[in-house]
Amino acid sequence: MTRFPRSLARFALAAAALAAGLAVAAPPAPSAPSAPAAPAANDEKITVNFVNADIQSVIKTVGQNTGKNFILDPRVSGTVNIVSDKPVSKDMLYRILLSALRVQGYAAIEGDGFVKIVPEAEAKTSAVPTGEAAARATGERIVTQVFILQNESAVQLVPVLRPLVTANNFIAAYPNNNAIVITDYAENVRRIQRIIESIDRPSASDVEVIRLQNASAVDIAQMLQRVVPEASTPANAPGTTPKAAIAVDPRTNSLVVRADNGPLMHRIKSLALGLDTPGAGNGNIYTVFLRNAEATRIAETLRGLLAGSELTRTTTTTTTPAGNTASQTTASTSLGAQAGTNASAPNSVIQAYPPTNSIIISAPEPVYRSLRTVIDALDQRRAQVYVEALIVEVTTGLASEFGVQWNAGRNIGDGQTLFGGTNFSTTVGSNILGLAANGLASVGGGLNLGIIRGTITIPGINGADGKPLAIPNLQVLARALEGDSSANVLSTPNVLTLDNEEAKIVVGQNVPFITGTFTPTAGSATNPFQTIERKDIGLTLRVLPQVSEAGAVKLKISTEVSSVTQDKALVQSADIITNKRSLDSSVLVDNGEIVVLGGLIQDDQQATMDKVPLLGDIPYLGALFKYQSRNHKRTNLMIFLRPVVLKDANAAAAVTGDRYDYIRHLQGEIRLPAAGLLPAEPTKQVPPLDEARKRALGE
């Protein structure tokens, strides 16, 4: 009777499982009369039998038997087939479900107390296990793991591993710390981990030193880098490390070679030793083609080096028959002493050949090897400096004049004149006597009001016929003037020059200045003439940059801004008057920074007042007997400088492209408008930079 309830419960569980496609295997009946203890729930075996079962019903049934909670994405649908001929544990049942979901294109994301079922493509964006938790995960669970490589390049290894990762999952390289990030199923990640461990191993070959006895290590290194493709970075993989590296040790005339494998090291070593043979048939004459430096300057430097390396100097004194004494000096050099002997080089010849920018050296091999090392150190790409100057001048001016002048005159009797009045301003065109003498056509700007009463003859003022000239009798002149002027001049001269090379840019006019005149005497046959001197008027910028190893730029700069004056007050000068602002300075500027070189801040205020004593002090009415003028002029001038060091072709191309596009934009804004029957026409524009480069290369 004690066994019946337990058997009945087991029968009911089996019936429910069969209804869902599961069968619970009952343990065998005990042989002894007394029944053993009931097995634990986790030890129960389940027979799986799902044929064209709805996937959501299967997940629900598995959750009831394993005790797991599932959250299903609305897109999870379809049917599955799971059949097992032997009972399986509950843990195995859950893993079988994960495999079935993967076949259907779904993935399980385990959370805190639940399992989320989503499409496989979205699993990599969920909170999957990482780090140690990912290392412990097994089966069809989605995990993310980071592998930091010690020897191989992560960028080069990712294309090899990508086909092994599930199509909807993720793999990428992080070059900064040479790491690979993978999001995939746990079992597949373990497989990829074993592949990475078998590939990421240190190179079997070591760095070797190849000592050369005859040839120059610099020449051999350059040749090997051209003929061994593994020694150069592939063009389609910039930033990657080449499989072989070749360096030169000038002190011992040796090659330092590193290779990724033994056969590559053996091939490089064989080539180097095969080329290390004495020169044959050239009489110790060598030709060196330069890449960057100027052959003439390098030749001069090498000749000075040979002349300065004297070890001994012998002076022989000879007395000539005339009693004069002459001395002769002979010298020997020790260049190439590392070869073991003091090689004397009195017959060494160094000659530059500018058409091909090459140097011809005739010297013993030890001397040539020493000179070749110096040439390689000097023949480097020189940095360029792009200097942008900013010259800003802002000028404002305010002027005002107001005054009243009186004048009265009358001829009396025999040409005598009665005269009286006020006489104030000396400004051209504003003086009452000047207007009367020169005519009203010379009146100055502004508001001018006057009263003229007939004419008057003043002794000493004669006309073209020699008789006294009758001038207008200007009796009253009232003048009012107010002026406001402003100017904003902005100049941005730019120059690009090599390091330690002076550059100059001049933008302006070449103006003639009279330096002398010649007037012949009466009866002379010589024609009169003038001598002139032309000078540049405008903007002149000279700059000499010097780039330091720390990146700062030392600049020796000279700038000048000049212009022909337009001030009417200076028309009485003997010749043309120019305004000039110049600056000569040496500064130290960091690369790309802006520095102010100098400036001028000038504020000029002037006020004058002329009046008749006593009458000019009368309130209100005194304005009729005074003349006032005010002038306020403010000038602000600043000069700024910004150097940019261009160390490679990419930096120069970036600056050139920016300036080129700026000019094209300005040209694009200019359009010839339509006028009558003439249609609007676009201005001719320079081609795009890429097209211009192709034309220059003939493509």
Side-chain angles (χ1 to χ4, degrees), residues 210-220 252-254 272-280 284 286 338-339 363-370 372:
I210 304 175
R211 181 72 177 271
L212 304 180
Q213 301 296 331
N214 301 287
S216 170
V218 177
D219 292 338
I220 299 300
T252 59
N253 194 44
S254 303
L273 295 178
L275 295 173
D276 184 29
T277 57
N284 292 333
Y286 308 91
Q338 70 273 14
E365 288 188 0
V367 178
Y368 167 73
R369 288 198 298 267
S370 299
R372 189 64 182 87

mmCIF file of all heavy atoms in Angstrom, residues 210-220 252-254 272-280 284 286 338-339 363-370 372:
data_model
loop_
_atom_site.group_PDB
_atom_site.id
_atom_site.type_symbol
_atom_site.label_atom_id
_atom_site.label_comp_id
_atom_site.label_asym_id
_atom_site.label_seq_id
_atom_site.Cartn_x
_atom_site.Cartn_y
_atom_site.Cartn_z
ATOM 1 N N ILE A 210 75.403 41.112 -39.898
ATOM 2 C CA ILE A 210 76.204 40.681 -41.054
ATOM 3 C C ILE A 210 77.320 41.700 -41.251
ATOM 4 O O ILE A 210 77.072 42.848 -41.627
ATOM 5 C CB ILE A 210 75.330 40.565 -42.320
ATOM 6 C CG1 ILE A 210 74.155 39.616 -42.064
ATOM 7 C CG2 ILE A 210 76.156 40.117 -43.505
ATOM 8 C CD1 ILE A 210 73.171 39.547 -43.219
ATOM 9 N N ARG A 211 78.540 41.310 -40.991
ATOM 10 C CA ARG A 211 79.702 42.190 -41.105
ATOM 11 C C ARG A 211 80.213 42.172 -42.546
ATOM 12 O O ARG A 211 80.493 41.112 -43.105
ATOM 13 C CB ARG A 211 80.798 41.726 -40.148
ATOM 14 C CG ARG A 211 82.050 42.583 -40.157
ATOM 15 C CD ARG A 211 81.794 43.914 -39.485
ATOM 16 N NE ARG A 211 83.003 44.715 -39.420
ATOM 17 C CZ ARG A 211 83.883 44.664 -38.413
ATOM 18 N NH1 ARG A 211 83.688 43.836 -37.403
ATOM 19 N NH2 ARG A 211 84.942 45.446 -38.412
ATOM 20 N N LEU A 212 80.316 43.328 -43.161
ATOM 21 C CA LEU A 212 80.791 43.451 -44.536
ATOM 22 C C LEU A 212 82.252 43.870 -44.538
ATOM 23 O O LEU A 212 82.676 44.718 -43.732
ATOM 24 C CB LEU A 212 79.941 44.467 -45.310
ATOM 25 C CG LEU A 212 78.433 44.192 -45.346
ATOM 26 C CD1 LEU A 212 77.720 45.265 -46.149
ATOM 27 C CD2 LEU A 212 78.144 42.810 -45.913
ATOM 28 N N GLN A 213 83.017 43.299 -45.456
ATOM 29 C CA GLN A 213 84.451 43.566 -45.517
ATOM 30 C C GLN A 213 84.836 44.493 -46.667
ATOM 31 O O GLN A 213 85.834 45.210 -46.573
ATOM 32 C CB GLN A 213 85.216 42.234 -45.669
ATOM 33 C CG GLN A 213 84.968 41.255 -44.546
ATOM 34 C CD GLN A 213 85.467 41.772 -43.206
ATOM 35 O OE1 GLN A 213 86.425 42.547 -43.149
ATOM 36 N NE2 GLN A 213 84.809 41.329 -42.129
ATOM 37 N N ASN A 214 84.086 44.505 -47.734
ATOM 38 C CA ASN A 214 84.485 45.250 -48.921
ATOM 39 C C ASN A 214 83.476 46.335 -49.305
ATOM 40 O O ASN A 214 83.838 47.494 -49.471
ATOM 41 C CB ASN A 214 84.680 44.275 -50.100
ATOM 42 C CG ASN A 214 85.739 43.225 -49.806
ATOM 43 O OD1 ASN A 214 86.931 43.511 -49.789
ATOM 44 N ND2 ASN A 214 85.303 41.998 -49.571
ATOM 45 N N ALA A 215 82.229 45.955 -49.444
ATOM 46 C CA ALA A 215 81.215 46.906 -49.907
ATOM 47 C C ALA A 215 80.751 47.803 -48.767
ATOM 48 O O ALA A 215 80.958 47.511 -47.584
ATOM 49 C CB ALA A 215 80.031 46.149 -50.512
ATOM 50 N N SER A 216 80.098 48.885 -49.149
ATOM 51 C CA SER A 216 79.527 49.802 -48.173
ATOM 52 C C SER A 216 78.197 49.252 -47.674
ATOM 53 O O SER A 216 77.338 48.830 -48.459
ATOM 54 C CB SER A 216 79.317 51.190 -48.805
ATOM 55 O OG SER A 216 78.565 52.024 -47.958
ATOM 56 N N ALA A 217 78.010 49.258 -46.352
ATOM 57 C CA ALA A 217 76.773 48.738 -45.779
ATOM 58 C C ALA A 217 75.566 49.561 -46.216
ATOM 59 O O ALA A 217 74.463 49.026 -46.382
ATOM 60 C CB ALA A 217 76.873 48.722 -44.250
ATOM 61 N N VAL A 218 75.746 50.848 -46.435
ATOM 62 C CA VAL A 218 74.643 51.698 -46.883
ATOM 63 C C VAL A 218 74.172 51.279 -48.271
ATOM 64 O O VAL A 218 72.967 51.138 -48.532
ATOM 65 C CB VAL A 218 75.065 53.182 -46.864
ATOM 66 C CG1 VAL A 218 73.948 54.067 -47.404
ATOM 67 C CG2 VAL A 218 75.453 53.602 -45.456
ATOM 68 N N ASP A 219 75.127 51.035 -49.192
ATOM 69 C CA ASP A 219 74.763 50.625 -50.545
ATOM 70 C C ASP A 219 74.082 49.266 -50.544
ATOM 71 O O ASP A 219 73.078 49.049 -51.246
ATOM 72 C CB ASP A 219 76.002 50.581 -51.438
ATOM 73 C CG ASP A 219 76.569 51.974 -51.688
ATOM 74 O OD1 ASP A 219 75.804 52.943 -51.548
ATOM 75 O OD2 ASP A 219 77.767 52.077 -52.009
ATOM 76 N N ILE A 220 74.602 48.321 -49.773
ATOM 77 C CA ILE A 220 74.025 46.982 -49.739
ATOM 78 C C ILE A 220 72.617 47.025 -49.141
ATOM 79 O O ILE A 220 71.701 46.347 -49.624
ATOM 80 C CB ILE A 220 74.927 46.026 -48.948
ATOM 81 C CG1 ILE A 220 76.310 45.925 -49.622
ATOM 82 C CG2 ILE A 220 74.303 44.651 -48.834
ATOM 83 C CD1 ILE A 220 76.272 45.409 -51.031
ATOM 84 N N THR A 252 80.646 49.959 -37.637
ATOM 85 C CA THR A 252 81.312 48.695 -37.957
ATOM 86 C C THR A 252 81.067 48.255 -39.398
ATOM 87 O O THR A 252 81.462 47.147 -39.770
ATOM 88 C CB THR A 252 80.809 47.589 -37.014
ATOM 89 O OG1 THR A 252 79.386 47.450 -37.172
ATOM 90 C CG2 THR A 252 81.130 47.920 -35.573
ATOM 91 N N ASN A 253 80.402 49.082 -40.205
ATOM 92 C CA ASN A 253 80.079 48.743 -41.600
ATOM 93 C C ASN A 253 79.367 47.389 -41.653
ATOM 94 O O ASN A 253 79.753 46.473 -42.374
ATOM 95 C CB ASN A 253 81.342 48.715 -42.462
ATOM 96 C CG ASN A 253 81.020 48.696 -43.952
ATOM 97 O OD1 ASN A 253 80.154 49.439 -44.412
ATOM 98 N ND2 ASN A 253 81.696 47.838 -44.699
ATOM 99 N N SER A 254 78.291 47.277 -40.846
ATOM 100 C CA SER A 254 77.563 46.014 -40.730
ATOM 101 C C SER A 254 76.087 46.242 -41.009
ATOM 102 O O SER A 254 75.569 47.358 -40.904
ATOM 103 C CB SER A 254 77.738 45.412 -39.330
ATOM 104 O OG SER A 254 79.107 45.230 -39.032
ATOM 105 N N ALA A 272 73.521 39.442 -49.212
ATOM 106 C CA ALA A 272 74.451 40.444 -48.690
ATOM 107 C C ALA A 272 75.892 39.981 -48.824
ATOM 108 O O ALA A 272 76.771 40.744 -49.266
ATOM 109 C CB ALA A 272 74.118 40.753 -47.228
ATOM 110 N N LEU A 273 76.174 38.744 -48.460
ATOM 111 C CA LEU A 273 77.548 38.245 -48.565
ATOM 112 C C LEU A 273 77.971 38.074 -50.016
ATOM 113 O O LEU A 273 79.154 38.221 -50.347
ATOM 114 C CB LEU A 273 77.671 36.919 -47.811
ATOM 115 C CG LEU A 273 77.455 37.009 -46.292
ATOM 116 C CD1 LEU A 273 77.557 35.629 -45.658
ATOM 117 C CD2 LEU A 273 78.462 37.967 -45.655
ATOM 118 N N GLY A 274 77.025 37.749 -50.894
ATOM 119 C CA GLY A 274 77.374 37.628 -52.299
ATOM 120 C C GLY A 274 77.743 38.963 -52.927
ATOM 121 O O GLY A 274 78.566 39.023 -53.858
ATOM 122 N N LEU A 275 77.147 40.042 -52.441
ATOM 123 C CA LEU A 275 77.469 41.372 -52.959
ATOM 124 C C LEU A 275 78.707 41.980 -52.302
ATOM 125 O O LEU A 275 79.248 42.965 -52.809
ATOM 126 C CB LEU A 275 76.276 42.311 -52.748
ATOM 127 C CG LEU A 275 74.998 41.962 -53.529
ATOM 128 C CD1 LEU A 275 73.858 42.858 -53.088
ATOM 129 C CD2 LEU A 275 75.238 42.108 -55.023
ATOM 130 N N ASP A 276 79.142 41.414 -51.196
ATOM 131 C CA ASP A 276 80.293 41.952 -50.470
ATOM 132 C C ASP A 276 81.590 41.433 -51.090
ATOM 133 O O ASP A 276 82.307 40.611 -50.515
ATOM 134 C CB ASP A 276 80.196 41.565 -48.995
ATOM 135 C CG ASP A 276 81.315 42.196 -48.179
ATOM 136 O OD1 ASP A 276 81.783 43.294 -48.570
ATOM 137 O OD2 ASP A 276 81.713 41.610 -47.158
ATOM 138 N N THR A 277 81.890 41.916 -52.282
ATOM 139 C CA THR A 277 83.117 41.524 -52.979
ATOM 140 C C THR A 277 83.874 42.778 -53.381
ATOM 141 O O THR A 277 83.286 43.861 -53.535
ATOM 142 C CB THR A 277 82.790 40.695 -54.231
ATOM 143 O OG1 THR A 277 81.931 41.459 -55.088
ATOM 144 C CG2 THR A 277 82.094 39.390 -53.850
ATOM 145 N N PRO A 278 85.178 42.702 -53.569
ATOM 146 C CA PRO A 278 85.935 43.882 -54.011
ATOM 147 C C PRO A 278 85.469 44.354 -55.371
ATOM 148 O O PRO A 278 84.999 43.574 -56.203
ATOM 149 C CB PRO A 278 87.390 43.375 -54.053
ATOM 150 C CG PRO A 278 87.398 42.164 -53.179
ATOM 151 C CD PRO A 278 86.047 41.548 -53.301
ATOM 152 N N GLY A 279 85.600 45.654 -55.578
ATOM 153 C CA GLY A 279 85.223 46.222 -56.866
ATOM 154 C C GLY A 279 86.107 45.684 -57.978
ATOM 155 O O GLY A 279 87.302 45.466 -57.801
ATOM 156 N N ALA A 280 85.486 45.466 -59.145
ATOM 157 C CA ALA A 280 86.228 44.883 -60.276
ATOM 158 C C ALA A 280 86.195 45.833 -61.449
ATOM 159 O O ALA A 280 85.128 46.148 -61.965
ATOM 160 C CB ALA A 280 85.622 43.537 -60.672
ATOM 161 N N ASN A 284 88.371 51.987 -58.487
ATOM 162 C CA ASN A 284 87.943 52.679 -57.271
ATOM 163 C C ASN A 284 87.211 53.985 -57.581
ATOM 164 O O ASN A 284 87.396 54.992 -56.902
ATOM 165 C CB ASN A 284 89.130 52.944 -56.349
ATOM 166 C CG ASN A 284 89.689 51.664 -55.759
ATOM 167 O OD1 ASN A 284 88.967 50.672 -55.616
ATOM 168 N ND2 ASN A 284 90.972 51.676 -55.443
ATOM 169 N N TYR A 286 83.431 55.545 -57.892
ATOM 170 C CA TYR A 286 82.071 55.235 -57.477
ATOM 171 C C TYR A 286 81.160 56.411 -57.834
ATOM 172 O O TYR A 286 81.572 57.577 -57.803
ATOM 173 C CB TYR A 286 82.006 54.980 -55.971
ATOM 174 C CG TYR A 286 83.011 53.956 -55.490
ATOM 175 C CD1 TYR A 286 84.291 54.354 -55.068
ATOM 176 C CD2 TYR A 286 82.696 52.606 -55.452
ATOM 177 C CE1 TYR A 286 85.214 53.422 -54.626
ATOM 178 C CE2 TYR A 286 83.618 51.669 -55.009
ATOM 179 C CZ TYR A 286 84.878 52.080 -54.599
ATOM 180 O OH TYR A 286 85.783 51.167 -54.170
ATOM 181 N N GLN A 338 88.906 52.542 -39.812
ATOM 182 C CA GLN A 338 88.347 51.348 -39.204
ATOM 183 C C GLN A 338 88.709 50.090 -39.972
ATOM 184 O O GLN A 338 88.526 48.985 -39.501
ATOM 185 C CB GLN A 338 86.809 51.468 -39.112
ATOM 186 C CG GLN A 338 86.099 51.400 -40.457
ATOM 187 C CD GLN A 338 85.998 52.756 -41.101
ATOM 188 O OE1 GLN A 338 86.669 53.681 -40.667
ATOM 189 N NE2 GLN A 338 85.176 52.872 -42.118
ATOM 190 N N ALA A 339 89.216 50.247 -41.198
ATOM 191 C CA ALA A 339 89.610 49.063 -41.963
ATOM 192 C C ALA A 339 90.909 48.466 -41.463
ATOM 193 O O ALA A 339 91.304 47.397 -41.878
ATOM 194 C CB ALA A 339 89.728 49.411 -43.443
ATOM 195 N N ALA A 363 88.322 57.138 -54.817
ATOM 196 C CA ALA A 363 89.031 56.988 -53.543
ATOM 197 C C ALA A 363 89.159 55.506 -53.235
ATOM 198 O O ALA A 363 88.415 54.677 -53.783
ATOM 199 C CB ALA A 363 88.275 57.701 -52.426
ATOM 200 N N PRO A 364 90.078 55.133 -52.377
ATOM 201 C CA PRO A 364 90.165 53.737 -51.942
ATOM 202 C C PRO A 364 88.873 53.310 -51.248
ATOM 203 O O PRO A 364 88.108 54.141 -50.747
ATOM 204 C CB PRO A 364 91.365 53.740 -50.975
ATOM 205 C CG PRO A 364 92.150 54.944 -51.364
ATOM 206 C CD PRO A 364 91.177 55.954 -51.838
ATOM 207 N N GLU A 365 88.626 52.000 -51.208
ATOM 208 C CA GLU A 365 87.377 51.500 -50.656
ATOM 209 C C GLU A 365 87.165 51.894 -49.196
ATOM 210 O O GLU A 365 86.050 52.275 -48.822
ATOM 211 C CB GLU A 365 87.313 49.982 -50.811
ATOM 212 C CG GLU A 365 87.082 49.549 -52.249
ATOM 213 C CD GLU A 365 86.821 48.064 -52.349
ATOM 214 O OE1 GLU A 365 86.827 47.396 -51.289
ATOM 215 O OE2 GLU A 365 86.601 47.563 -53.467
ATOM 216 N N PRO A 366 88.157 51.847 -48.307
ATOM 217 C CA PRO A 366 87.907 52.282 -46.925
ATOM 218 C C PRO A 366 87.471 53.748 -46.847
ATOM 219 O O PRO A 366 86.589 54.099 -46.069
ATOM 220 C CB PRO A 366 89.251 52.044 -46.224
ATOM 221 C CG PRO A 366 89.924 51.002 -47.041
ATOM 222 C CD PRO A 366 89.517 51.271 -48.452
ATOM 223 N N VAL A 367 88.108 54.595 -47.666
ATOM 224 C CA VAL A 367 87.723 56.005 -47.665
ATOM 225 C C VAL A 367 86.313 56.159 -48.216
ATOM 226 O O VAL A 367 85.494 56.929 -47.694
ATOM 227 C CB VAL A 367 88.731 56.835 -48.485
ATOM 228 C CG1 VAL A 367 88.309 58.299 -48.543
ATOM 229 C CG2 VAL A 367 90.127 56.698 -47.886
ATOM 230 N N TYR A 368 86.016 55.423 -49.276
ATOM 231 C CA TYR A 368 84.679 55.530 -49.865
ATOM 232 C C TYR A 368 83.604 55.097 -48.873
ATOM 233 O O TYR A 368 82.537 55.713 -48.780
ATOM 234 C CB TYR A 368 84.593 54.686 -51.128
ATOM 235 C CG TYR A 368 83.167 54.514 -51.608
ATOM 236 C CD1 TYR A 368 82.489 55.578 -52.203
ATOM 237 C CD2 TYR A 368 82.496 53.299 -51.438
ATOM 238 C CE1 TYR A 368 81.177 55.430 -52.622
ATOM 239 C CE2 TYR A 368 81.190 53.146 -51.857
ATOM 240 C CZ TYR A 368 80.531 54.214 -52.444
ATOM 241 O OH TYR A 368 79.231 54.071 -52.844
ATOM 242 N N ARG A 369 83.849 54.016 -48.115
ATOM 243 C CA ARG A 369 82.845 53.564 -47.159
ATOM 244 C C ARG A 369 82.566 54.631 -46.106
ATOM 245 O O ARG A 369 81.419 54.847 -45.714
ATOM 246 C CB ARG A 369 83.299 52.256 -46.499
ATOM 247 C CG ARG A 369 83.242 51.052 -47.420
ATOM 248 C CD ARG A 369 83.279 49.767 -46.612
ATOM 249 N NE ARG A 369 84.517 49.634 -45.840
ATOM 250 C CZ ARG A 369 85.592 48.999 -46.278
ATOM 251 N NH1 ARG A 369 85.596 48.460 -47.494
ATOM 252 N NH2 ARG A 369 86.653 48.897 -45.517
ATOM 253 N N SER A 370 83.609 55.306 -45.653
ATOM 254 C CA SER A 370 83.399 56.386 -44.671
ATOM 255 C C SER A 370 82.619 57.537 -45.289
ATOM 256 O O SER A 370 81.695 58.080 -44.676
ATOM 257 C CB SER A 370 84.750 56.874 -44.151
ATOM 258 O OG SER A 370 85.452 55.841 -43.497
ATOM 259 N N ARG A 372 80.603 57.330 -47.802
ATOM 260 C CA ARG A 372 79.242 56.871 -48.128
ATOM 261 C C ARG A 372 78.337 56.962 -46.904
ATOM 262 O O ARG A 372 77.140 57.273 -47.021
ATOM 263 C CB ARG A 372 79.294 55.423 -48.632
ATOM 264 C CG ARG A 372 77.968 54.938 -49.195
ATOM 265 C CD ARG A 372 77.615 55.743 -50.430
ATOM 266 N NE ARG A 372 76.335 55.341 -50.976
ATOM 267 C CZ ARG A 372 75.157 55.823 -50.592
ATOM 268 N NH1 ARG A 372 75.113 56.749 -49.637
ATOM 269 N NH2 ARG A 372 74.046 55.405 -51.143
#
